[in-house]
Amino acid sequence: MIEVIEKYYLLFMVYAILGWLMEVICKSIEYKRFINRGFLIGPYCPIYGWGALFITLLLSKYTHDPA
């Protein structure tokens, strides 16, 4: 059980950080200066983490389906 929680926590954090990084890079290119797109203290945006978690959980039953 602990391994499953750790796996989903790491999945959440990795995608939250990658999503924040993607937004910061895109907006920095657009406005030619650093813009922090996160609303929390730290380099992560939880909406990307939750999205990755929900997609992973909802599509996990199709892992063995070739289509």
Side-chain angles (χ1 to χ4, degrees):
M1 181 67 180
I2 297 296
E3 295 86 18
V4 173
I5 294 172
E6 288 175 354
K7 180 177 95 171
Y8 288 128
Y9 175 74
L10 285 175
L11 180 74
F12 175 85
M13 289 306 294
V14 165
Y15 279 100
I17 291 170
L18 288 176
W20 176 84
L21 189 64
M22 178 190 66
E23 276 200 50
V24 167
I25 289 172
C26 288
K27 290 301 174 181
S28 294
I29 290 171
E30 183 179 345
Y31 292 111
K32 295 179 180 44
R33 64 182 177 93
F34 178 77
I35 295 178
N36 186 4
R37 297 291 294 172
F39 64 93
L40 300 172
I41 298 171
Y44 53 91
C45 194
I47 190 68
Y48 294 111
W50 287 116
L53 220 60
F54 286 141
I55 288 171
T56 301
L57 292 173
L58 291 175
L59 297 179
S60 64
K61 63 182 177 182
Y62 299 112
T63 55
H64 300 294
D65 188 13

